[in-house]
Amino acid sequence: MSDNRLSVFKTYKLYVGGKFPRSESGRVYEVTDSKGRWLANAPQSSRKDARDAVVAARKAFGGWSGATAYNRGQVLYRVAEMLEGRRDQFVREVAEAEGLSKSKAAAVVDAAVDRWVWYAGWTDKIGQVVGGANPVAGPFFNLSTPEPTGVVAVLAPQESSFLGLVSVIAPVIATGNTAVVVASADRPLPALSLGEVLATSDLPGGVVNVLSGRTAEIATPLASHQDVNAIDLTGADAGLAKELEIAAADNLKRVLRPQDIDGDGTADWTADPGIHRLTAFLETKTVWHPTGALGVSGSSY
């Protein structure tokens, strides 16, 4: 083989509706490693890209939320399988993006795979934990069950390109929601490559949509979009988070504020995640039904 062979550079694209479009605007921006060296050109998403992603997420919501919890668990486990098969690629990308050694990057990728598996195991259990029969006075059954909120805009953490990314996406879709994900502006490449993993797993197109670019530019139209039901502000700084929370009030979106777990201004994504993110985008439906009467329908609120 010739020593003069040129490397084939990867063209990164968005992941929207199960497909890989370029940005509607045609813009790209340079992504560099921790030492300022060029890695790739990433697509710079526009407001139109954000709106297209919301349309795709809404279209996918009915089928995904209507799937059995067991089936969703199988799909999330399949994502972990596919990610494990491309481990070497992600170790390299995470090492370049986060300035880590190969061994530390491998630990991050392994933790991300394990995080997918962990959330896969919760899909058919969270209902029993947060739902159940309620004691009431009178001849009634009173049952509470969790239901997904809908389309969730997710701002991925800026400081952690991969483990944090998985930690904010997996619980959203595990509970039946669909997601529009805004990748880390400076470290988008692992997120865009994750779209390739999702596309080759059993995850239906549109359940997760990945956008790259300037966080504020993409998040602003998502926060005020009338067909977005909730927003996770993890990747927003304090100023942007305040602006987006105000915009989200236009249609009473559910808002998850940034979580500083260890008190140093960032979240510790290696910690036990608990079920907080699983319940953040669930709503509780309560049904009353009379006892001892057949054929009488109940009411819900």
Side-chain angles (χ1 to χ4, degrees):
M1 184 176 293
S2 172
D3 294 335
N4 296 323
R5 181 181 179 274
L6 297 176
S7 299
V8 178
F9 291 105
K10 182 173 180 177
T11 302
Y12 287 88
K13 297 182 181 180
L14 308 177
Y15 182 56
V16 177
K19 299 179 181 179
F20 297 94
R22 300 177 188 273
S23 172
E24 171 271 338
S25 67
R27 298 177 299 170
V28 298
Y29 68 102
E30 290 188 358
V31 178
T32 59
D33 64 13
S34 59
K35 297 182 179 179
R37 294 173 297 197
W38 181 86
L39 291 175
N41 290 332
Q44 188 167 330
S45 301
S46 67
R47 290 171 176 260
K48 176 64 163 55
D49 294 317
R51 293 195 297 269
D52 289 345
V54 173
V55 171
R58 176 57 62 191
K59 184 177 180 180
F61 176 70
W64 183 244
S65 61
T68 65
Y70 176 72
N71 178 246
R72 288 200 300 270
Q74 288 180 310
V75 172
L76 264 68
Y77 187 84
R78 178 63 173 165
V79 173
E81 287 181 349
M82 300 301 291
L83 184 56
E84 181 83 17
R86 297 177 64 167
R87 181 177 181 273
D88 290 346
Q89 172 195 345
F90 280 93
V91 168
R92 183 183 70 254
E93 290 189 346
V94 170
E96 292 173 341
E98 302 190 32
L100 301 176
S101 66
K102 185 176 180 180
S103 60
K104 290 184 178 179
V108 169
V109 174
D110 290 344
V113 173
D114 293 345
R115 190 64 47 91
W116 277 113
V117 174
W118 193 84
Y119 279 116
W122 269 103
T123 58
D124 59 354
K125 301 175 182 65
I126 191 66
Q128 286 71 44
V129 173
V130 300
N134 307 310
V136 295
F140 300 98
F141 290 118
N142 183 269
L143 305 174
S144 293
T145 58
E147 294 185 345
T149 298
V151 175
V152 181
V154 179
L155 309 190
Q158 300 294 326
E159 78 284 352
S160 175
S161 70
F162 199 60
L163 179 56
L165 174 78
V166 170
S167 297
V168 295
I169 295 177
V172 170
I173 65 172
T175 48
N177 299 286
T178 56
V180 177
V181 181
V182 182
S184 167
D186 295 330
R187 303 171 176 179
L189 303 187
L192 296 175
S193 290
L194 180 63
E196 299 171 4
V197 171
L198 299 176
T200 53
S201 69
D202 298 325
L203 191 72
V207 172
V208 175
N209 306 273
V210 183
L211 305 175
S212 60
R214 308 306 178 194
T215 301
E217 181 178 354
I218 309 169
T220 299
L222 290 175
S224 58
H225 198 298
Q226 297 297 300
D227 208 23
V228 172
N229 304 107
I231 186 167
D232 180 350
L233 299 176
T234 294
D237 59 34
L240 179 59
K242 183 176 181 180
E243 293 177 11
L244 297 178
E245 191 167 355
I246 293 172
D250 283 348
N251 70 332
L252 299 178
K253 288 181 178 61
R254 179 168 295 210
V255 176
L256 179 62
R257 297 175 179 87
Q259 304 292 309
D260 180 6
I261 296 174
D262 51 6
D264 67 351
T266 62
D268 179 10
W269 298 109
T270 63
D272 183 343
I275 64 170
H276 170 66
R277 288 187 171 274
L278 284 166
T279 59
F281 302 113
L282 286 174
E283 298 179 354
T284 301
K285 176 182 179 181
T286 301
V287 177
W288 293 73
H289 195 291
T291 61
L294 298 177
V296 179
S297 60
S299 61
S300 64
Y301 63 89

